[in-house]
Amino acid sequence: MASQLHSTSKPTYTLAEGCPQQDPASSFSINKPGGGGLLLLQDTQLIETLAHFARERIPERVVHAKAAGAFGEFEVTHDITDITSAAFLSEIGKKTPFLVRISTVGPERGSADTVRDVRGWAMKLFTEEGNQDWVFNDIPVFFVRDPIKFPSVNRSHKRHPQTNLTDSTMFWDFHNNNQEGIHALMCLFSDRGTPASLRNIDAFSGHTYKFTKKDGSFHYVKIHFKTDQGIKNFTEAEATKIAGENPDHNVQDLFENIAKGNFPSWTAYVQTMTAEEAEKYRWNIFDMTKVWPHKDHPLRLFGKLTFNRNPQNYFSDIEQAAFSPSTMVPGIEPSADPMLQARMFSYPDAARYRLGVNYQMLPTNCPIGPVYSPMQRDGFANFRGNYGSDPNYVRSSFRSMTYAAGKASHDEWAGKTAAYSSEVVDDDFVQATALWKVLGTQPGQQGNFVSNVAGLLGSAIPEVQEKTIEMFSRVDAELGKLIAEAL
Ligand code: HEM
């Protein structure tokens, strides 16, 4: 679909320093009669053109490299002020603009959209109290619960260090030996692993966060966005076919639907839990491999999200966007989930590498309200005035600042230093088994699950296949048998 608009305005062509230039389609040379000609080093236009082209690429994200993006609006539909003081959630009808980026995780920037993978959902809400980022996935649980395993799980889903090929043996070997990921695997190998479009997925915080109030009270929460378009998935065969025919299927689908005014929307819900409930709960609420079943903690409706505008320029709006779970407004806080704590370090760290130390100044990342952060100075590409002559040290006598009220202390942090254990116990299989039973209530879904696993497992070495069958037998003995038969 053509997205370019013909413009009637005729800007004067210049170089980046603003100096007008002649036609950019010709280099400057000493012509020889009959063609050819020596180029001149003084042709700044040619040099700038080639030099800038060679520097057009920035590092792609180490994970979540391929994506579509959009702008939209979040609206509060139900009162939620009893559990959070966040200003953008303060009244029914209040609207907040946002930027969203939806990605696949493992493959590179040029890869096919319909591969079996988790979809990432990164959102930046531009609130009057600064930016609120929600960096979610389309499955409610994760493959590991100790952040030190994050690089490993991702590498096992990517390319083998020798062959440069994705590698089924490596994939299953990781999961056989780190079986806390079984619940996430059950999601990934159901047909939800190959969504029919980005408009047909849900998104989940996965982690437990906290909604807080100014009086110091708080609730633990998990946030869910449910698609108003309904869940629709491809089968493995459909996804594979489309990956060949149109690798950009999902990016195109989202862009075209927004362009023609068919704005997709999602309903926002929150699950809540008090600290007392959390202490006695059946599951560790800081373990990202577990959900809170809805029957224990029902979904509470609070908002609506609508995508209503396409990016104007993909690189500037979407590729240069940087999201982080650490970007939070007052009224929303992290929990002690170790994965979340590690992510709060990792994303700004990744952005400093990928976009530079002043990445928050890029227009796409800029909050709508004032920013006064004079303890962050200088650095590459600092283009926002750098706080002029204002003091660059704390407690200066020469310019006073006003400060937000100190955060109430919500948790008593107690404990002793210990290695976080991700030993796997039978209890880790209970929710996976429940999901297998849910698939049994949906026609054809258990069969698809088995053939989806067998499709990838078929090319692993026999020893790894056996261990994977054992792992799925812990979910359900019949499931293990079915996979073995399907190989
Ligand atoms: C310890 C665990 C994790 C670590 C260390 C981690 C780290 C990262 C890194 C380094 C990036 C690339 C960021 C960039 O270059 O701008 C990224 C992207 C992303 N991650 Fe994670 N991640 C973790 C777990 C998760 C989980 C549990 C979720 C979802 C609940 C998630 C969702 C995403 C999304 C949606 C993106 C894409 C962000 C964008 O569109 O720019 N990640 N992650």
Side-chain angles (χ1 to χ4, degrees):
M1 160 178 206
S3 57
Q4 258 177 344
L5 298 176
H6 289 283
S7 168
T8 46
S9 77
K10 268 183 105 176
T12 302
Y13 170 67
T14 70
L15 287 189
E17 306 271 5
C19 317
Q21 289 291 314
Q22 82 276 11
D23 171 19
S26 316
S27 16
F28 200 66
S29 64
I30 302 173
N31 279 323
K32 286 192 161 227
L38 295 172
L39 297 177
L40 298 178
L41 197 54
Q42 73 174 46
D43 188 353
T44 306
Q45 175 170 237
L46 170 66
I47 293 166
E48 296 267 307
T49 302
L50 296 183
H52 199 276
F53 180 67
R55 289 163 181 79
E56 268 182 22
R57 292 286 171 272
I58 60 172
E60 67 173 36
R61 288 162 173 82
V62 64
V63 282
H64 296 262
K66 172 84 188 279
F71 293 92
E73 196 169 64
F74 173 85
E75 179 173 359
V76 179
T77 54
H78 292 74
D79 183 55
I80 198 157
T81 52
D82 57 318
I83 56 170
T84 175
S85 62
F88 80 103
L89 298 174
S90 63
E91 57 186 291
I92 295 175
K94 190 156 186 175
K95 293 180 177 167
T96 304
F98 66 77
L99 164 70
V100 65
R101 181 176 180 276
I102 309 182
S103 45
T104 46
V105 183
E108 298 85 359
R109 244 197 95 182
S111 55
D113 287 341
T114 55
V115 291
R116 178 169 307 286
D117 200 357
V118 172
R119 267 65 187 172
W121 175 293
M123 239 178 120
K124 191 178 287 296
L125 293 128
F126 299 96
T127 90
E128 68 261 52
E129 293 179 303
N131 295 344
Q132 169 63 45
D133 287 2
W134 272 329
V135 195
F136 294 180
N137 276 337
D138 75 334
I139 63 171
V141 285
F142 202 66
F143 301 102
V144 293
R145 56 187 164 211
D146 185 328
I148 205 161
K149 292 187 179 180
F150 181 79
S152 294
V153 64
N154 280 289
R155 290 201 203 101
S156 78
H157 290 201
K158 287 170 168 278
R159 293 176 186 276
H160 188 277
Q162 181 182 22
T163 60
N164 197 33
L165 299 168
T166 52
D167 189 290
S168 153
T169 294
M170 180 168 84
F171 178 101
W172 290 111
D173 188 45
F174 176 85
H175 288 292
N176 290 346
N177 296 331
N178 300 276
Q179 297 193 6
E180 67 271 30
I182 187 68
H183 192 178
L185 284 175
M186 295 298 295
C187 299
L188 182 62
F189 283 87
S190 77
D191 282 347
R192 287 210 185 196
T194 48
S197 87
L198 302 178
R199 297 175 297 120
N200 299 111
I201 60 171
D202 291 343
F204 305 89
S205 65
H207 300 288
T208 298
Y209 283 85
K210 290 195 298 194
F211 273 7
T212 62
K213 290 214 305 176
K214 291 201 171 114
D215 63 8
S217 63
F218 78 93
H219 281 77
Y220 289 119
V221 296
K222 284 190 190 254
I223 300 166
H224 303 238
F225 301 146
K226 292 215 163 283
T227 169
D228 295 334
Q229 291 68 237
I231 293 285
K232 281 193 201 127
N233 301 314
F234 287 135
T235 61
E236 175 85 24
E238 288 166 336
T240 306
K241 183 166 178 283
I242 292 169
E245 287 171 358
N246 181 3
D248 298 318
H249 176 274
N250 289 355
V251 174
Q252 185 178 355
D253 173 88
L254 187 66
F255 191 95
E256 290 186 353
N257 274 284
I258 294 175
K260 64 183 177 219
N262 185 23
F263 300 147
S265 65
W266 281 259
T267 305
Y269 299 89
V270 67
Q271 284 183 292
T272 66
M273 195 186 285
T274 62
E276 298 71 48
E277 286 170 325
E279 267 173 41
K280 291 184 245 121
Y281 196 47
R282 162 86 174 83
W283 306 105
N284 176 354
I285 64 157
F286 306 132
D287 174 354
M288 252 216 107
T289 67
K290 305 293 183 303
V291 294
W292 304 349
H294 295 181
K295 66 173 172 32
D296 301 343
H297 292 274
L299 295 179
R300 176 175 167 183
L301 185 58
F302 73 103
K304 173 81 83 191
L305 294 70
T306 309
F307 296 5
N308 58 19
R309 184 160 58 90
N310 274 319
Q312 190 59 30
N313 179 284
Y314 186 84
F315 181 85
S316 151
D317 293 338
I318 308 300
E319 194 61 18
Q320 289 196 316
F323 305 88
S324 172
S326 57
T327 302
M328 293 183 185
V329 296
I332 302 180
E333 288 186 26
S335 75
D337 177 343
M339 292 276 289
L340 176 57
Q341 295 279 327
R343 290 180 73 201
M344 291 176 69
F345 155 74
S346 183
Y347 290 67
D349 181 52
R352 283 177 209 113
Y353 161 69
R354 195 168 60 79
L355 301 163
V357 66
N358 286 311
Y359 68 93
Q360 292 101 333
M361 293 184 194
L362 291 165
T364 197
N365 297 320
C366 258
I368 48 171
V371 176
Y372 190 74
S373 177
M375 298 311 141
Q376 274 176 247
R377 311 291 289 222
D378 308 355
F380 284 111
N382 187 324
F383 52 82
R384 221 166 43 191
N386 205 22
Y387 305 104
S389 61
D390 287 6
N392 55 4
Y393 55 94
V394 297
R395 302 260 158 102
S396 163
S397 324
F398 308 110
R399 172 133 201 202
S400 50
M401 296 184 254
T402 47
Y403 306 103
K407 284 186 182 162
S409 162
H410 293 300
D411 284 334
E412 294 277 326
W413 294 84
K416 54 186 179 196
T417 310
Y420 178 69
S421 160
S422 53
E423 285 315 308
V424 177
V425 293
D426 286 344
D427 220 23
D428 288 316
F429 287 78
V430 171
Q431 293 193 350
T433 306
L435 182 51
W436 172 245
K437 291 192 177 135
V438 170
L439 292 180
T441 64
Q442 301 162 1
Q445 287 305 300
Q446 284 191 339
N448 285 4
F449 180 90
V450 169
S451 68
N452 293 343
V453 171
L456 183 62
L457 189 56
S459 50
I461 60 171
E463 179 194 327
V464 163
Q465 287 182 346
E466 261 169 51
K467 277 198 175 174
T468 305
I469 291 164
E470 274 170 34
M471 174 172 70
F472 281 113
S473 302
R474 285 179 83 178
V475 176
D476 185 284
E478 179 67 11
L479 170 58
K481 246 174 51 200
L482 291 170
I483 292 172
E485 282 162 16
L487 284 175

